[in-house]
Amino acid sequence: MSTYTIPTKNDVYHYSQQVELDGELFTLTFTLNYRVDCWHMAIGEEQEILEGVRLVGGIDILKQFHHLDVPPGAMWCIDLDNSGREPTKELFGDRVVLRYIEDE
């Protein structure tokens, strides 16, 4: 079982990137909600599978969506300082990272 950090940006407010998760290519789209200073994510392959998922710490972001064709592993927002911080505009990709744990 491999764990790796998905590279993210905090210098743009809406972007997409392709990542390989458990051997399959997915497009992840990240959007910053300015009003509440939080990030949302969409997951797609050739079309959107899931959209508008708020990225928060302390939970497996994908767990409740495994009935859809999302990646089979676990995805977590991790505060590198263990301070319980959420992925905000300033912290996401710097002090709070997005990690993926491959399915066993």
Side-chain angles (χ1 to χ4, degrees), residues 40-96:
H40 288 82
M41 179 181 68
I43 300 174
E45 287 177 301
E46 294 177 12
Q47 61 184 2
E48 292 296 317
I49 299 170
L50 183 64
E51 61 182 295
V53 176
R54 183 173 175 167
L55 299 179
V56 296
I59 63 166
D60 175 2
I61 297 162
L62 299 178
K63 185 176 183 177
Q64 64 181 326
F65 302 110
H66 281 295
H67 64 284
L68 302 172
D69 287 331
V70 297
M75 190 177 287
W76 296 78
C77 287
I78 305 291
D79 177 359
L80 297 176
D81 295 330
N82 292 321
S83 301
R85 296 180 295 187
E86 297 294 326
T88 63
K89 186 228 178 277
E90 296 298 322
L91 298 176
F92 192 45
D94 182 25
R95 302 307 313 152
V96 178

Side-chain angles (χ1 to χ4, degrees), residues 2-43:
S2 296
T3 300
Y4 54 92
T5 300
I6 297 171
T8 57
K9 304 174 185 181
N10 62 9
D11 60 339
V12 294
Y13 308 117
H14 179 84
Y15 67 96
S16 296
Q17 65 186 27
Q18 289 191 323
V19 294
E20 186 175 321
L21 305 172
D22 279 291
E24 198 169 336
L25 195 60
F26 290 90
T27 299
L28 303 182
T29 302
F30 299 94
T31 304
L32 178 68
N33 180 325
Y34 293 97
R35 287 186 165 193
V36 291
D37 194 15
C38 70
W39 288 91
H40 288 82
M41 179 181 68
I43 300 174

